[in-house]
């Protein structure tokens, strides 16, 4: 099974013929892919607890069976030295880079692949050509502008030169968003090579061509604000499980990257302020003495403090550059580099001492006056809060700075820096949605430093591994911000509508093929992890296992299997059913309490048992015929001699024989058995039905006759022999009044009405509405005529004056 999976990868990269062959194999073995290699024509249920080993890749020396990096684990290293100029007149990037690429794989590489992600912003990109549309009805002016820009704007990279270490040109080929460089001599395992690339491209206007990067133009003060990302040719990741991960950039599947060290010199107009990945190396050259002084003070500040105040930033808006300045940044062990630049920036900062770290982390925010008063109040606080909570559940934040920038990009993450969009209205007021939207997006994007910037998953393939996990921790972080923080995602009940919707695919789907992207890759995995933590494993076990996952894979490259395996390995709990249900299927939770039956133990004593049976019989409702027949004269009334013994005899009367039999029975019993006979328990048989397909723990709240309650938490394995209907025997000491399934709504159960036994009447309200009068065209026209006559009259009156 794994053999076929890995081989198909290689085959697809080969000739069309072998690709076709591969598809045939995949199709004929379709059921194998989801691990249903067995078929059973008798008992028509799939085994939802079948182990995942058949589905997951075979463990090897690179990734072992416990989900940890194996003894032979390796990853490539890509170090960059980049000079880049931001042309503020043409909104253009002009750059040159020297890449040192170290081949730590066991393989010999005859060519190298690089990613040219800005090529997605050309009019002939696959992303544009393959994009589909819904019928045009009402199209907004902004959307119209964007439609036209997609046809005309060319933001692709112009490669000026590719040279080896000696400056000799290297042959290369650009294939859409990828570039292959052919090496004059194959790069053997363990060797390094150096080469350089120079390039330029036009930066996209985020209004007409929105992306994860771009500029914003402010008409009123004629200034630009740049948020610059995937702006240089970056090494494609070469890995043990995919080889070169050069699946084209279509827009959704983000970036799969190598770690390395960066030295970046950014040249901008001399009145610009630059925020970037890494540590600023030459503050004395680019900052004023006052700014340097304040920055030093901020390191020890107890609250965020301004390095550039709102008033100073306002003044800078009308400044004119007198030349250029070069900002130099160094970043170690990062997988990417991004920056922002503008003369409009307000800048605040606070040094934060994290537990388990020697040096304080500088938390910093950069934003224009348009972000005020929201940004100075919340941004840097949100950064520090995120570092605290994320570090608690993972590892201490390893980088020296964490930056949040306000600009045209709504929310996007890069190492040490992220771009966040929300702003207040022009008058400084803001909605609740904007306030919490801002705090949440900053938590989310700063949180991405951990996933995927450090726990470096393959974003081009699996969106949930960074988005889902980050959204889960975002929920935990939000809940530690203030009581009842209005989190959008995390609570199981918020996922119910999605879980029962039809237009969806499993979480384990390639990024580009996901339906309902936000729900699938953010909401559902975040909910799944929350359910795993609160309901399946409990906080202690989950947190231990999750931390182990992050420790094993920090600065390394985990796959889904490594996550699944580590969570089981460290928690000691078989979770294959959970991964199978939540990640490999679209099943949802809908468990019903179908019926509850009570059983009481008979004492064997005829004076108790027979009397009770008799009472029960006598309490049976009389049939309608019996009631109506009562009045009819009976033959035995007319002829009493027809009566005999049986007219008086009652089956349920206690006889001497009954009594003797009971006494004889008691004599046979030993003390223990006699005690059992005296059991006073109530036995309830609870019939459960699984309508949603997802096997989940059964959480029952028992309410007794005296209104006391008891919680019963049954693991999901209750469904292991029959995943559609089971009956559970529950023993209680008190009689039961009612049962509620999932009373805290922790399992994302999509139908609450069948969770109660006995069923309760559903209650809601409805509204009355006055019927709207329809207006006919004749009436409208007459009204209009009347209006214009009246205004003519007014005009005439005025003329007279
Ligand atoms: Zn995200």
């Amino acid at each position: 099974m794994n053999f076929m999976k890995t081989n198909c990868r290689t085959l697809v990269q080969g000739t069309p013929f072998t690709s076709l062959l591969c598809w045939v194999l995949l199709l004929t073995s379709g059921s194998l892919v989801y691990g249903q290699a067995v078929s059973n024509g008798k008992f028509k249920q799939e085994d939802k607890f079948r182990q995942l080993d058949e589905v997951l890749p075979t463990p090897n020396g690179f990734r072992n069976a416990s989900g940890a990096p194996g003894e032979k684990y390796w990853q490539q290293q890509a170090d960059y030295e980049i000079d880049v100029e931001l042309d503020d007149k043409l909104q253009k990037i002009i750059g040159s880079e020297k890449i040192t690429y170290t081949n730590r794989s066991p393989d010999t590489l005859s060519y190298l692949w690089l990613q040219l992600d800005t090529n997605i912003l050309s009019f002939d990109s696959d992303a544009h050509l393959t994009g589909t549309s819904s019928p045009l009805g009402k199209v907004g002016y902004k959307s119209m502008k964007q439609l036209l820009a997609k046809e005309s704007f060319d933001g692709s990279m112009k490669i000026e030169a590719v040279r080896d270490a000696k400056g000799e040109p290297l042959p290369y080929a650009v294939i859409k968003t990828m570039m292959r460089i052919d090496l004059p001599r194959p790069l053997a395992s363990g060797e390094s090579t150096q080469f350089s690339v120079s390039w330029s491209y036009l930066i996209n206007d985020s209004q007409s061509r929105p992306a994860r990067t771009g500029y914003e133009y402010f008409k009123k003060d004629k200034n630009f604000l740049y948020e610059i990302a995937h702006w240089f040719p970056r090494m494609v990741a070469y890995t043990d499980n995919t080889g070169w991960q050069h699946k084209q950039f279509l827009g959704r599947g983000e970036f799969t990257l190598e770690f390395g060290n960066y030295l970046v010199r950014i040249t901008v107009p001399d009145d610009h302020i630059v925020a970037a990945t890494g540590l600023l190396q030459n503050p004395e050259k680019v900052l004023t003495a006052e700014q340097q002084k304040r920055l030093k003070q901020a390191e020890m500040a107890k609250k965020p403090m301004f390095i550039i105040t709102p008033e100073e930033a306002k003044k800078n808006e009308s400044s004119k550059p007198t030349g250029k300045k070069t900002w130099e940044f160094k970043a170690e062990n990062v997988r990417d580099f991004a920056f922002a630049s503008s003369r409009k920036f307000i800048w605040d900062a606070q040094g934060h001492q994290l537990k388990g770290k020697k040096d304080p982390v500088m938390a910093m925010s950069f934003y224009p006056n348009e972000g005020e008063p929201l940004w100075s109040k919340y941004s840097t606080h949100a950064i520090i809060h995120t570092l605290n909570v994320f570090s608690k559940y993972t590892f201490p934040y390893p980088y020296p700075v964490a930056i949040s920038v306000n600009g045209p990009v709504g929310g996007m993450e890069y190492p040490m820096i992220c771009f966040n969009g929300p702003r207040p209205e022009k008058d400084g007021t803001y909605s609740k949605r904007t306030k919490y939207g801002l705090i949440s997006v900053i938590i989310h994007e700063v949180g991405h430093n951990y996933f995927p910037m450090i726990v470096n998953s393959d974003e081009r393939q699996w969106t949930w591994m960074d988005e889902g996990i980050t959204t889960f921790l975002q929920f935990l972080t939000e809940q530690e911000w203030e009581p009842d923080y209005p989190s959008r995602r995390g609570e199981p009940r918020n996922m119910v509508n999605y879980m029962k919707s039809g237009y969806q695919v499993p979480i384990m789907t390639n990024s580009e093929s996901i339906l309902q992207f936000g729900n699938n890759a953010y909401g559902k995995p975040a909910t799944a992890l929350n359910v795993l933590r609160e309901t399946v494993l409990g906080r202690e076990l989950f947190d231990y296992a999750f931390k182990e996952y992050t420790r094993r894979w920090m600065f390394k490259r985990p796959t889904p299997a490594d996550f699944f395996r580590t969570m089981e390995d460290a928690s000691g709990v078989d979770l294959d059913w959970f991964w199978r249900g939540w990640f490999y299927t679209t099943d949802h939770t809908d468990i019903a309490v179908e019926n509850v039956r009570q059983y009481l133990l008979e004492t064997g004593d005829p004076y108790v048992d027979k009397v009770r049976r008799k009472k029960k019989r006598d309490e049976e409702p009389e049939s309608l015929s019996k009631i109506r027949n009562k009045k009819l004269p009976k033959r035995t009334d007319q002829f009493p001699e027809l009566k005999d013994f049986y007219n008086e005899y009652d089956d349920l009367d206690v006889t001497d024989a009954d009594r003797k039999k009971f006494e004889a029975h008691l004599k046979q019993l030993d003390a223990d058995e006699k005690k059992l006979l005296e059991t006073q328990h109530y036995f309830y048989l609870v019939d459960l039905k699984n309508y949603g397909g997802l096997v989940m723990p059964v959480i029952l709240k028992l309410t007794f006759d005296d209104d006391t309650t008891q919680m019963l938490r049954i693991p999901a394995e209750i469904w292991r022999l029959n995943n559609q209907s089971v009956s559970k025997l529950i023993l209680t000491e008190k009689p039961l009044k009612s049962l509620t399934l999932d009373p805290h709504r922790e399992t994302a159960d999509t139908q609450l009405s069948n969770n109660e036994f006995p069923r309760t009447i559903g209650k809601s309200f409805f509204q009355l509405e006055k019927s709207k009068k329809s207006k006919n065209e004749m009436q409208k026209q007459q009204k209009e005529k009347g209006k214009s006559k009246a205004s003519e009259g007014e005009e005439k009156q005025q003329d007279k004056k």
Side-chain angles (χ1 to χ4, degrees), residues 254 411 413 444-445 448 466-467 470-471 522:
E254 289 178 352
E413 70 277 11
H444 181 94
E445 307 306 345
H448 270 308
D466 61 295
E467 298 302 352
T470 299
T471 305
Y522 295 64

Side-chain angles (χ1 to χ4, degrees), residues 1 21 86 146 182 217-218 319 346 557 574 590 728 790:
M1 149 81 252
L21 179 70
L86 172 67
Q146 291 174 0
D182 298 334
Y217 177 63
F218 296 81
S319 119
I346 301 166
R557 195 187 293 289
D574 174 14
D590 179 9
K728 176 71 190 167

Side-chain angles (χ1 to χ4, degrees), residues 689-704:
K689 200 154 173 147
N690 184 348
Y691 288 100
L694 201 57
V695 288
M696 285 293 281
V698 174
I699 294 118
L700 286 172
K701 182 175 146 192
L702 315 180
T703 304
F704 300 102

Side-chain angles (χ1 to χ4, degrees), residues 445-497:
E445 307 306 345
V446 172
H448 270 308
N449 273 297
Y450 299 78
F451 313 90
M453 299 304 154
I454 295 167
V455 178
N456 184 18
S457 58
D458 182 349
E459 292 183 272
R460 183 80 25 115
Q461 178 63 33
W462 305 117
T463 300
W464 70 268
M465 285 200 79
D466 61 295
E467 298 302 352
I469 290 177
T470 299
T471 305
F472 161 66
L473 283 173
Q474 175 195 339
F475 172 63
L476 302 189
T477 309
E478 287 168 351
Q479 294 307 312
E480 289 195 36
W481 177 272
E482 68 184 34
D484 302 321
Y485 186 100
S487 292
R488 263 178 77 204
R489 291 171 170 142
E491 282 290 358
R493 69 186 69 179
N494 296 353
M495 248 316 93
V496 163
N497 284 338

